[in-house]
Amino acid sequence: MAYGLPHVEFASHDPRELMDFVNRETLIAVMLETPQAIERCEEIAAVPGIDILHVGTQDLSAEMGIPGEVGAPAVAQAIAQVSRACAIHGKVLGVGGCYEPEFIRRYVTEEQARFFVVGSDLGYLLGAARAQTAKVRASLELQG
């Protein structure tokens, strides 16, 4: 039990009401990143309280012996298997690690995935740093 949460703007609330609210509003996503987890995805999907089964394609492809091949048929088959388990148990399918729009489009249309990780914090930071560096370099070239 925690108090002073940002979820409720740090205001005081009745502990029972606060606990009910936090439990109701907290998103629970579990990551499936091994062939063993994929094999047991229906069992995992049956766990009460889980909202999202999220397939981590980078780690899964590495565990499958095909590192980085997030569009490989074996990875697509694993995602399809998790999609079926999600449909049976009323969960949301999530996919991460495949940043290409073609893969995302495929998993949205073919597997009804609705939760995606489309980049990484390191990638975003590096992208912003490179953009800023390019802007500064361009500015210096204009002056000199």
Side-chain angles (χ1 to χ4, degrees):
M1 190 67 219
Y3 297 95
L5 297 171
H7 308 67
V8 292
E9 298 179 357
F10 305 101
S12 295
H13 289 273
D14 174 84
R16 290 172 200 261
E17 290 175 15
L18 180 61
M19 188 169 66
D20 288 343
F21 173 80
V22 170
N23 286 337
R24 185 178 62 250
E25 298 298 322
T26 298
L27 181 75
I28 305 294
V30 296
M31 294 189 72
L32 285 67
E33 301 182 310
T34 65
Q36 295 83 4
I38 301 301
E39 288 172 15
R40 298 184 71 184
C41 67
E42 192 167 334
E43 184 181 345
I44 295 167
V47 174
I50 292 175
D51 300 302
I52 298 172
L53 271 65
H54 183 79
V55 180
T57 60
Q58 292 290 337
D59 289 329
L60 179 61
S61 67
E63 288 289 322
M64 292 175 150
I66 50 172
E69 295 183 34
V70 299
V75 174
Q77 289 170 354
I79 291 171
Q81 184 175 344
V82 176
S83 176
R84 288 188 296 275
C86 287
I88 290 167
H89 295 282
K91 309 298 178 167
V92 172
L93 171 63
V95 180
C98 57
Y99 308 135
E100 296 299 321
E102 70 180 272
F103 297 133
I104 294 169
R105 192 175 309 106
R106 178 193 319 166
Y107 297 134
V108 166
T109 58
E110 294 178 15
E111 306 304 341
Q112 290 72 52
R114 296 294 180 260
F115 181 87
F116 290 90
V117 173
V118 296
S120 70
D121 51 358
L122 179 59
Y124 297 139
L125 289 170
L126 288 174
R130 288 181 182 127
Q132 179 64 18
T133 300
K135 188 167 50 170
V136 169
R137 285 185 175 151
S139 172
L140 292 173
E141 289 173 7
L142 290 175
Q143 294 178 10

